[in-house]
Amino acid sequence: MHDDGLFDEKIAATYDDDKGISAPEVIEPAVDLLAELAGGGRALEFAIGTGRIALPLARKGVPVEGIELSRPMVSRLRAKEGGAEISVAIGDMVTTNVARRFSLVYLVFNTINNLTSQDAQLACFRNAAAHLEPGGRFLIEVGVPPLQRLPVGETILAFDHGETHWGVDEYDVVNQNFSSHHIWLRDGSYERFSVPFRYAWPAEFDLMARLAGLRLKERWGDWKKELFTQVSDKHVSVWQKVEG
């Protein structure tokens, strides 16, 4: 770890190359739903990164601001068309405060899992609530822990395998932690990158929300509002700030 967290210049330089998170068919449904939930108000993105969501959302007419720990990621945002117009506070999403209130705060693509303790995740919910207007909404997109796929006593699940990239998740089911290990073959040599995470079930996030003064409003299986079921591999959840 360093001042920019895990996302240093090397990671930031290739972050948008992942079509799994940057393809139009991935971005557009997310932006459409976020614009709907903003309801004509302002939106704040926790961990705004390279602006892959914030910039198209701003182009839809939603005033967007962000919080981001990684300066290299923000530099990538600034280099894009419209990136210089988005206000970004440098800091973490647990303690950083923006002197404004919003109708929507959102946190996408499993980023809540980058907070590796329950206390930190709860603090993130409380920080989101502190930035919301009464009746405002907090949204997260996060995967459902795939523990049903783990044989008894096993700790490793592969999530990607190809000619140039291999990925495995290593689970600690006692402490609700896991690490994602990536191995790339580049220019004839291997590179490894590991990221620590903490997973939580939807019910635990709901309890965090209640402790932060939020109540569950919606939960879908994806950005297109598909039904969340026992076989959904992720959820898009929305909590609303209790008025009064």
Side-chain angles (χ1 to χ4, degrees), residues 39-108:
R42 305 184 66 87
L44 175 65
E45 181 171 358
F46 281 2
I48 194 170
T50 64
R52 69 181 185 90
I53 298 294
L55 287 169
L57 185 59
R59 288 194 288 270
K60 273 189 169 288
V62 179
V64 183
E65 296 184 31
I67 293 173
E68 175 57 53
L69 181 63
S70 169
R71 288 172 176 82
M73 295 286 273
V74 175
S75 293
R76 296 286 162 175
L77 182 156
R78 295 282 182 241
K80 297 177 181 178
E81 182 179 356
E85 282 73 56
I86 293 183
S87 176
V88 179
I90 301 297
D92 67 78
M93 57 191 173
V94 171
T95 62
T96 303
N97 182 265
V98 175
R100 194 192 299 273
R101 296 298 169 260
F102 300 82
S103 62
L104 175 68
V105 177
Y106 65 95
L107 178 59
V108 300

Side-chain angles (χ1 to χ4, degrees), residues 1-8 69 92 114-116 193-197:
M1 292 286 287
H2 42 72
D3 290 345
D4 294 309
L6 290 163
F7 297 90
D8 58 11
L69 181 63
D92 67 78
N114 285 96
L115 302 173
T116 56
F193 176 62
S194 296
V195 187
F197 295 108

Side-chain angles (χ1 to χ4, degrees), residues 104-182:
L104 175 68
V105 177
Y106 65 95
L107 178 59
V108 300
F109 191 52
N110 300 319
T111 309
I112 187 71
N113 291 343
N114 285 96
L115 302 173
T116 56
S117 72
Q118 186 183 69
D119 285 346
Q121 290 177 347
L122 173 57
C124 179
F125 272 78
R126 286 177 166 154
N127 197 30
H131 282 92
L132 288 173
E133 303 166 348
R137 296 178 172 117
F138 178 42
L139 175 148
I140 68 169
E141 174 200 15
V142 65
V144 176
L147 301 191
Q148 293 185 77
R149 294 174 52 204
L150 271 179
V152 175
E154 296 296 323
T155 61
I156 301 293
L157 280 177
F159 61 85
D160 188 32
H161 55 89
E163 294 184 359
T164 60
H165 177 258
W166 299 266
V168 296
D169 285 333
E170 182 178 10
Y171 286 88
D172 174 356
V173 298
V174 173
N175 297 301
Q176 285 185 219
N177 295 121
F178 69 105
S179 294
S180 287
H181 305 292
H182 300 261

